Amino acid sequence: AQSVSQHNHHVILSEAASLELGCNYSYGGTVNLFWYVQYPGQHLQLLLKYFSGDPLVKGIKGFEAEFIKSKFSFNLRKPSVQWSDTAEYFCAVNLSNTGFQKLVFGTGTRLLVSP
Amino acid sequence: DTAVSQTPKYLVTQMGNDKSIKCEQNLGHDTMYWYKQDSKKFLKIMFSYNNKELIINETVPNRFSPKSPDKAHLNLHINSLELGDSAVYFCASSQDSASGIEQYFGPGTRLTVT
């Protein structure tokens, strides 16, 4: 069965530190990949997405992610985090051949950025 | 101008009761979803409707019954509530049901069953 793993459940960083959150999925076919963010008390919002083309995807607020097909990974990065990046981050995968969109989410990574 | 709204935001009820959660989207989208997020933050799809028709129905107990009176609304009715139903329920919508289309999420409804 398709699954998504986020190995870092809790991450604590100081402001200006670099961030990398891991995401691995298990499916051998074509996938669409997403990172969603949930700020405290707010909705899930899309940070970035990968469908095809350049495997390095840039999203909002300075985030980027790299799709490495051989490693089944889609890690999220940011060179310098801010206190306002404190949030829960979810990786999600969608099979592109199902006809209907069905997102499978990872368990999330809680990021705390201290000022 | 809330894109996807849910009511109520919080719901506390006792075991055995029947309750409903409402969802509305004003984005003109064709497809709507219900997700359940458990206490460990695991988010899993429950149902999906496209143009008022059910297209995804995960292995959800029959006590859960979604209803879509029109494209803009997808309600979730839960019968005979159990302790394990305690969770945050998120509604979402997307332009259509094709793969890869961004989903827009509502603020969630925190259901607590005592």
Side-chain angles (χ1 to χ4, degrees):
Chain A
Q2 185 187 22
S3 67
V4 180
S5 299
Q6 292 181 243
H7 306 293
N8 316 102
H9 296 295
H10 293 92
V11 174
I12 301 174
L13 294 173
S14 299
E15 274 195 315
S18 65
L19 170 72
E20 179 158 3
L21 301 182
C23 174
N24 289 88
Y25 62 93
S26 63
Y27 180 70
T30 304
V31 292
N32 298 321
L33 299 155
F34 304 81
W35 274 98
Y36 280 84
V37 61
Q38 187 175 22
Y39 297 104
Q42 294 190 27
H43 310 185
L44 274 100
Q45 302 169 41
L46 183 68
L47 266 182
L48 46 78
K49 59 190 176 187
Y50 171 80
F51 291 168
S52 63
D54 188 345
L56 185 61
V57 178
K58 295 199 184 296
I60 60 172
K61 306 187 180 187
F63 286 91
E64 64 179 31
E66 185 175 11
F67 170 52
I68 303 179
K69 190 174 181 179
S70 60
K71 294 185 178 180
F72 298 90
S73 70
F74 189 55
N75 292 354
L76 181 71
R77 299 195 293 249
K78 186 171 183 178
S80 175
V81 294
Q82 300 172 318
W83 175 79
S84 58
D85 293 324
T86 293
E88 190 97 23
Y89 292 81
F90 294 92
C91 181
V93 173
N94 180 60
L95 292 180
S96 67
N97 64 350
T98 58
F100 301 126
Q101 183 173 192
K102 177 182 162 183
L103 286 182
V104 177
F105 283 85
T107 51
T109 297
R110 181 164 294 182
L111 171 65
L112 176 62
V113 180
S114 56
Chain B
D1 286 355
T2 304
V4 182
S5 59
Q6 295 178 227
T7 53
K9 192 170 182 179
Y10 300 96
L11 184 54
V12 181
T13 188
Q14 291 184 325
M15 284 175 56
N17 285 348
D18 303 337
K19 291 292 179 185
S20 293
I21 307 172
K22 295 185 177 182
C23 178
E24 177 181 1
Q25 54 96 2
N26 62 7
L27 298 167
H29 288 169
D30 286 345
T31 309
M32 296 184 72
Y33 312 81
W34 276 112
Y35 288 86
K36 179 180 180 180
Q37 186 177 45
D38 62 24
S39 59
K40 296 182 178 179
K41 293 284 190 174
F42 184 58
L43 198 63
K44 186 175 179 184
I45 190 167
M46 301 172 69
F47 302 103
S48 176
Y49 270 72
N50 187 61
N51 280 321
K52 302 193 298 176
E53 290 194 16
L54 182 67
I55 57 172
I56 293 176
N57 184 350
E58 292 295 288
T59 50
V60 178
N62 291 336
R63 299 181 294 102
F64 290 79
S65 53
K67 283 190 172 51
S68 181
D70 55 58
K71 279 195 334 181
H73 296 85
L74 180 61
N75 303 324
L76 183 65
H77 188 74
I78 315 170
N79 289 326
S80 303
L81 278 155
E82 300 177 358
L83 291 176
D85 298 331
S86 294
V88 181
Y89 292 85
F90 286 98
C91 178
S93 73
S94 63
Q95 185 176 334
D96 55 45
S97 58
S99 297
I101 299 297
E102 177 182 350
Q103 294 186 16
Y104 294 79
F105 284 80
T109 295
R110 184 175 294 275
L111 171 64
T112 303
V113 182
T114 61

